[in-house]
Amino acid sequence: MILKQRISNNYLKPILTGVFSVVLLAGYAQEGEKQQGEKPTNELTNRFNPQEMDSIEIVRDYRPMLADAVKIRRSPDMNIDRKSLEIELRKIAAGMYFSRNKYKEPYHSPLPEKYPNSSRDNIDNNRIGIIAYRGREFERAASILKKVAPGDAFYQSSMIALGYIAQENGDKQGARDAFYKASEMNYDQDLKADALYNYAKSLYELDSIEVSLNPLQQFISMKYADLDPNSKNAESTETRMAQVLSGSSNFQAAVYLLESFQNREQKADEVYQKLTYYRGMEFYNERAFENSISMFMRSEKFPYDKTMAALATYWKAEAMYEVRKYSEAVDNFSKFLQLPEAKTTSVYNYANYALAYAAFRINRYAVAAQYFERFLAAEKGTLDESVRYDVIARLGDSYLSTRNYSRANEYYDQLIANNAPNQDYALFQHGIIQGLQGDNQAKLNTLKSVVEKYPSSNYADDVAFEIPYIYFTEGDYDTAIEGLQRMVEQYPRSSYVPRALVTIGLVQYNKDDNEAALATFQKVVKDYSKTSEASQALLSIENIYLDQGDATGYIQYATGTNITDLSVGEQDNLAFQAGRTLFARKQYGPAVEAINAYFDKFPKPRQEKHARYIRGVSLYHTGHPEEALHDLNIILNDWTSEYTENTLMTVASLYLNLKQYNEAIVHLKKLELNSDYKDNYGFAVTNLMICYYELGDYEMMEQYAQLVKDYQGATEAEIATAHLYTAKAKQQQGDKESTLKELNLAALKSKSAASAEARYLVALQQYKNKEYDKAEKSAFDVIENMDSNDYWVAKSFILLADTYARKGNAVQAKSTLESVIENYEADDDIIPEAKVKLQKLKK
């Protein structure tokens, strides 16, 4: 058996780093929305039907303009009785703390070293009394300890010991009194802290729960006096519990604390429902909507307070709307409206309104119309007029979009009849409907009447564009150009100017006036580079250059423009495309260089998120974790990004490799709790298990190990890893039998790195038990059957050399180590270890 000749020099445990399948996305679909008092940036952009003019195609999805409206954003009622909630929480936390921590036992040493000038009798009687106590000679111990005179730390120590003895004898009140007396002494602060804790616990066990909180808080303030709540070291169950008991916690720490305990009592779950609901509302008001969704989902799972559970569903839906998860928002608003308790809430009818808006955003116009009408009917005369007129307009738009033109006109007519502020919009939409019905002349007359009746209309430039566009669609290009040029001159700051210029350029191109068309398109690219029309203009410029057979000229022109984003389906700008292509080919080093050049050329690129994603992942693959985190963390600030899930995985892996486990947990938790990331749930819980192991929190580690083992979608490698880390935890706890059992389970699960390590650890344990033949056989098992795991194969060769040496075959041991040194190429601990062992054999 010889060591294989090539071993990868960038070995990493696959379960820690993951293998990321990068889905290249073509960029962001730009969704411009016309805000109150602003002109639209894209509402008419999508109104072109495909129309081909020679070799240039103009794409305009011809559908009616839906004037943009802003849904009312309501804020949750934050009227919280924090004081009562904190008292409830502290009671629960106290019970948890006492259950996790035993009484503080009395002690003698190191008091003599600390207080050498104390009475010799006190020192001796305290020492002998505590020795007798530890020997369970309680009566003798008590008689000796009572001889200790007041006035020093030995007396304070003796009182604690007497309290312990009283407790052992079933005298709980006597124990309480002794602990209290010791807690009132200030001879030694460590003893005072122990006495406070014992006094608090004895009160708790005497059912004086509320009274026990005060001495417990005093104990906590002494034990954790130097604890910084903002420190990363303040993230353990113990320290969170300390924060809660001391009154310095926030809702977040309290939530994490209760989540540390799986088998909670109902009272704790009732408090947990409130904490997660209130924390969700805080996140919502802070506009951290994704975090609020997570909290509301947790609160819903414990519906002890039915009204609160209903409100959690409502605000979860509102948060989903805010992050543009409109389908999920529709589902949750619908769920809320069906809950019996929902009708008693102040937001009940607004759920109809919000559901309608969510449906409107995903083009479910029939559903939107149904719920807008319910909202209007329920509010009747109590609704603010501006909201009512907005809802009426939305109803008109909804029916127009479902081609129910008569119903649409009914609602638009209501706006006109009531002299609503948006009546000009209603008249404009009448004209649009006439055009959709094929009556361009009627449309023309109606649109003209908009500016005649409302000369200062917010839609005057819409009309100025629509009228010549009618001529354009009918083939009257001269009249169209004249009208479009007049529109550009009259409304130079309108969002329609680039659309008008593109249309003019297309007419010029269609007339074979390439020089004029090129100048027009280039003006769009230069002056309106951030619009979607600039993308279309650049495509048209490309066609003109290619018509002339001048591809080089086009490339020089395109790379010299400041366009940084093109719509889906169109060619991306060449600078960004170079980086994306290299990334797709997994040429990560060159991809980083290309994206750097892209940022140098375009300091404020429209493809920034995608580019940062490419650069961040590429830096990760090329071994530059700190630089990678800079880009990837910027992406994580955008929770609507297409790259969030893969970015979370990459960032979590980076923190794992950097051994920053608390940071890794933050990102892995987001993967675990977000239902949108269910495909990577196994990755999340497996690595959370590893993090908690590395932090020494074996209770949490074992909980996650069980989650992995029970998860139906877990891979064999993940299950093997769960068994491996369970074995490591059991080994730390001294449970040899369970350790071996879990190692064997891990070894049999797969051919992953975890299984290879488990097999190696079995061999190592056999070696330590001096079962050299078994160890040799197990080492060969790794070498022969786990050959894709170079590190553990090499470790097994070194262990094999150790077994040879123990069995007296030094020649074979040396040969094996020399083979490892000669053939292993990775830069880790293998070769140094092999060299040390070889040197010892040569002595």
Side-chain angles (χ1 to χ4, degrees):
M1 176 61 61
I2 60 171
L3 189 67
K4 61 183 181 178
Q5 297 299 308
R6 299 289 297 171
I7 297 180
S8 170
N9 66 1
N10 62 347
Y11 170 81
L12 291 173
K13 293 180 183 177
I15 199 63
L16 287 179
T17 60
V19 177
F20 301 106
S21 300
V22 179
V23 179
L24 291 177
L25 301 173
Y28 294 90
Q30 302 301 317
E31 182 180 337
E33 295 185 348
K34 187 177 186 180
Q35 303 298 327
Q36 297 289 354
E38 297 179 359
K39 297 306 296 172
T41 59
N42 81 324
E43 291 296 339
L44 288 178
T45 306
N46 297 321
R47 289 206 271 155
F48 289 88
N49 278 325
Q51 299 200 21
E52 190 169 308
M53 301 181 64
D54 291 344
S55 63
I56 291 184
E57 185 182 81
I58 179 168
V59 180
R60 188 176 188 230
D61 177 19
Y62 196 88
R63 66 183 181 85
M65 181 187 71
L66 305 179
D68 213 34
V70 178
K71 172 185 162 302
I72 298 172
R73 181 174 178 268
R74 299 174 62 80
S75 296
D77 178 11
M78 293 298 292
N79 185 21
I80 304 167
D81 186 353
R82 288 179 180 268
K83 187 173 182 180
S84 297
L85 185 59
E86 284 178 1
I87 291 173
E88 283 186 84
L89 181 60
R90 282 186 209 140
K91 288 180 181 179
I92 291 167
M96 291 177 172
Y97 195 85
F98 289 136
S99 68
R100 287 169 64 95
N101 296 278
K102 299 178 180 179
Y103 280 93
K104 307 296 181 182
E105 291 197 4
Y107 56 83
H108 175 74
S109 179
L111 296 180
E113 291 78 9
K114 292 173 69 175
Y115 308 105
N117 297 324
S118 296
S119 160
R120 188 72 247 173
D121 287 342
N122 273 9
I123 294 174
D124 291 340
N125 286 330
N126 178 259
R127 178 178 63 82
I128 296 168
I130 287 179
I131 290 173
Y133 157 77
R134 294 190 182 280
R136 301 190 65 79
E137 298 179 40
F138 297 136
E139 185 176 347
R140 177 169 175 265
S143 65
I144 297 171
L145 291 167
K146 287 176 182 178
K147 294 178 182 179
V148 179
D152 59 20
F154 296 96
Y155 179 66
Q156 191 175 14
S157 169
S158 297
M159 290 309 303
I160 294 175
L162 287 169
Y164 242 98
I165 292 169
Q167 187 183 52
E168 290 285 352
N169 292 328
D171 183 4
K172 291 187 176 182
Q173 292 185 342
R176 175 201 61 191
D177 294 342
F179 292 143
Y180 170 73
K181 189 172 182 180
S183 73
E184 290 292 293
M185 300 176 190
N186 293 305
Y187 301 121
D188 184 273
Q189 291 302 299
D190 290 334
L191 289 172
K192 183 179 181 68
D194 286 356
L196 280 167
Y197 177 77
N198 288 347
Y199 175 50
K201 187 164 185 175
S202 65
L203 286 171
Y204 186 86
E205 292 180 351
L206 286 167
D207 293 329
S208 301
I209 299 173
E210 195 160 343
V211 180
S212 73
L213 293 179
N214 185 49
L216 181 58
Q217 285 178 305
Q218 292 180 56
F219 164 73
I220 291 295
S221 66
M222 293 180 70
K223 181 176 180 181
Y224 298 98
D226 299 326
L227 177 65
D228 179 2
N230 299 317
S231 168
K232 292 180 180 178
N233 296 325
E235 294 183 2
S236 69
T237 299
E238 186 84 2
T239 52
R240 286 191 184 116
M241 192 173 290
Q243 291 176 42
V244 169
L245 290 170
S246 66
S248 64
S249 67
N250 53 28
F251 286 149
Q252 189 82 358
V255 168
Y256 286 152
L257 171 63
L258 292 185
E259 286 178 348
S260 301
F261 299 90
Q262 294 296 318
N263 299 317
R264 299 186 296 259
E265 295 181 353
Q266 180 175 325
K267 186 63 178 177
D269 285 340
E270 290 173 5
V271 173
Y272 181 77
Q273 180 194 14
K274 295 176 185 178
L275 287 171
T276 48
Y277 176 70
Y278 294 143
R279 185 55 179 146
M281 292 198 298
E282 286 181 339
F283 275 133
Y284 187 93
N285 284 335
E286 293 165 6
R287 300 188 67 80
F289 299 116
E290 287 283 358
N291 292 344
S292 73
I293 291 169
S294 173
M295 287 295 165
F296 290 134
M297 289 174 69
R298 298 183 211 187
S299 184
E300 285 179 308
K301 293 179 180 178
F302 299 91
Y304 294 104
D305 184 328
K306 301 293 185 183
T307 301
M308 182 178 287
L311 287 170
T313 301
Y314 175 83
W315 289 114
K316 179 180 68 173
E318 285 280 9
M320 287 173 167
Y321 183 94
E322 294 288 349
V323 296
R324 301 185 181 183
K325 294 182 179 180
Y326 300 124
S327 293
E328 292 92 332
V330 168
D331 293 341
N332 281 278
F333 282 127
S334 298
K335 177 183 176 182
F336 169 76
L337 288 167
Q338 294 169 13
L339 295 172
E341 294 76 18
K343 294 180 180 179
T344 65
T345 67
S346 62
V347 296
Y348 178 70
N349 193 38
Y350 277 95
N352 288 316
Y353 168 80
L355 192 159
Y357 248 109
F360 189 88
R361 291 298 185 200
I362 54 176
N363 304 329
R364 294 174 61 181
Y365 297 112
V367 174
Q370 175 187 353
Y371 284 92
F372 277 131
E373 287 183 335
R374 287 187 185 182
F375 177 67
L376 278 182
E379 291 293 331
K380 297 180 181 178
T382 64
L383 192 62
D384 181 85
E385 275 199 346
S386 61
V387 178
R388 185 165 66 87
Y389 290 142
D390 173 70
V391 172
I392 291 172
R394 300 288 72 73
L395 277 164
D397 294 344
S398 297
Y399 283 116
L400 188 157
S401 298
T402 59
R403 300 188 180 184
N404 189 340
Y405 301 137
S406 61
R407 288 290 300 234
N409 279 329
E410 287 177 18
Y411 283 105
Y412 293 137
D413 285 341
Q414 287 185 37
L415 297 176
I416 296 170
N418 286 283
N419 291 318
N422 51 353
Q423 60 184 304
D424 55 339
Y425 170 69
L427 186 58
F428 181 90
Q429 291 293 73
H430 271 313
I432 294 296
I433 290 172
Q434 289 165 337
L436 291 171
Q437 291 174 326
D439 192 346
N440 275 345
Q441 188 57 50
K443 174 183 177 181
L444 192 60
N445 294 335
T446 301
L447 293 179
K448 287 179 179 178
S449 70
V450 172
V451 290
E452 290 171 359
K453 293 181 179 180
Y454 315 103
S456 60
S457 170
N458 195 38
Y459 301 98
D461 59 332
D462 298 67
V463 172
F465 178 82
E466 276 295 327
I467 289 176
Y469 192 75
I470 293 172
Y471 294 114
F472 172 74
T473 58
E474 292 180 342
D476 187 352
Y477 299 135
D478 291 335
T479 305
I481 284 184
E482 182 182 344
L484 290 169
Q485 288 174 336
R486 185 166 56 249
M487 178 261 164
V488 171
E489 292 172 3
Q490 190 174 358
Y491 303 100
R493 301 182 66 181
S494 169
S495 62
Y496 289 97
V497 169
R499 307 172 198 190
L501 289 173
V502 167
T503 307
I504 291 169
L506 288 168
V507 173
Q508 292 167 334
Y509 180 84
N510 198 48
K511 289 185 170 185
D512 294 327
D513 190 353
N514 287 351
E515 187 175 346
L518 187 61
T520 302
F521 291 134
Q522 287 177 340
K523 178 177 176 59
V524 176
V525 171
K526 178 183 177 183
D527 296 342
Y528 306 96
S529 62
K530 293 184 179 180
T531 66
S532 59
E533 286 76 21
S535 306
Q536 184 172 329
L538 188 61
L539 183 62
S540 300
I541 291 169
E542 178 187 3
N543 279 1
I544 292 172
Y545 272 104
L546 294 178
D547 285 349
Q548 298 170 350
D550 188 6
T552 303
Y554 170 68
I555 292 173
Q556 291 175 347
Y557 171 79
T559 55
T561 68
N562 60 347
I563 292 182
T564 57
D565 183 38
L566 301 176
S567 61
V568 176
E570 296 177 327
Q571 181 182 356
D572 230 332
N573 79 65
L574 298 179
F576 174 72
Q577 183 66 32
R580 189 169 69 172
T581 300
L582 290 166
F583 182 70
R585 294 173 181 170
K586 299 184 179 180
Q587 296 175 278
Y588 299 118
V592 171
E593 294 177 7
I595 295 300
N596 285 341
Y598 172 62
F599 277 107
D600 289 342
K601 190 169 186 62
F602 307 98
K604 295 182 179 180
R606 295 293 297 275
Q607 297 275 20
E608 180 185 2
K609 287 290 192 301
H610 195 171
R612 286 191 182 279
Y613 174 72
I614 288 173
R615 187 168 66 182
V617 175
S618 297
L619 285 166
Y620 163 71
H621 281 291
T622 53
H624 297 84
E626 299 294 344
E627 295 94 325
L629 285 171
H630 173 74
D631 279 325
L632 298 174
N633 280 326
I634 289 175
I635 294 172
L636 292 181
N637 289 331
D638 178 5
W639 281 98
T640 62
S641 169
E642 301 98 320
Y643 319 112
T644 298
E645 183 175 4
N646 278 342
T647 301
L648 279 171
M649 293 177 67
T650 308
V651 170
S653 297
L654 282 166
Y655 280 126
L656 283 162
N657 292 337
L658 293 170
K659 298 185 179 180
Q660 296 181 22
Y661 299 111
N662 286 315
E663 290 292 342
I665 286 171
V666 170
H667 296 83
L668 291 166
K669 278 282 189 182
K670 293 175 182 177
L671 280 171
E672 176 197 8
L673 298 174
N674 194 321
S675 59
D676 290 342
Y677 306 151
K678 59 184 179 182
D679 289 344
N680 291 305
Y681 177 81
F683 171 89
V685 294
T686 302
N687 284 293
L688 280 165
M689 171 193 69
I690 293 170
C691 287
Y692 284 117
Y693 172 82
E694 297 294 346
L695 291 171
D697 190 341
Y698 299 134
E699 181 180 346
M700 287 297 293
M701 188 232 79
E702 290 179 2
Q703 290 176 19
Y704 275 100
Q706 197 59 49
L707 280 177
V708 177
K709 295 171 186 176
D710 294 342
Y711 175 46
Q712 291 184 349
T715 65
E716 287 189 348
E718 289 166 346
I719 294 172
T721 305
H723 285 298
L724 172 64
Y725 276 84
T726 302
K728 289 182 176 182
K730 295 298 183 184
Q731 187 176 43
Q732 292 289 336
Q733 296 162 359
D735 187 345
K736 293 182 179 180
E737 183 178 347
S738 296
T739 299
L740 187 57
K741 177 183 176 182
E742 292 291 335
L743 285 176
N744 285 324
L745 288 171
L748 296 172
K749 276 297 175 184
S750 68
K751 289 196 173 184
S752 67
S755 293
E757 182 180 358
R759 295 187 187 200
Y760 168 79
L761 291 175
V762 169
L764 181 62
Q765 190 59 50
Q766 291 167 339
Y767 174 82
K768 289 179 178 179
N769 293 339
K770 299 182 180 181
E771 299 173 309
Y772 301 124
D773 289 339
K774 288 184 178 180
E776 180 181 335
K777 182 178 179 181
S778 295
F780 272 120
D781 174 51
V782 178
I783 294 164
E784 293 172 352
N785 298 309
M786 312 299 286
D787 58 348
S788 62
N789 296 281
D790 303 325
Y791 180 84
W792 297 111
V793 168
K795 289 286 285 185
S796 297
F797 270 113
I798 293 174
L799 182 60
L800 191 61
D802 288 342
T803 64
Y804 288 148
R806 288 292 183 182
K807 292 167 69 174
N809 193 345
V811 174
Q812 186 65 33
K814 291 177 185 178
S815 176
T816 302
L817 291 171
E818 287 168 350
S819 180
V820 171
I821 295 167
E822 180 182 350
N823 292 291
Y824 191 76
E825 297 179 358
D827 183 15
D828 50 37
D829 63 329
I830 292 294
I831 291 179
E833 182 182 0
K835 286 182 177 179
V836 169
K837 290 181 179 290
L838 182 60
Q839 189 63 33
K840 288 181 179 179
L841 286 173
K842 288 181 177 180
K843 289 182 179 179

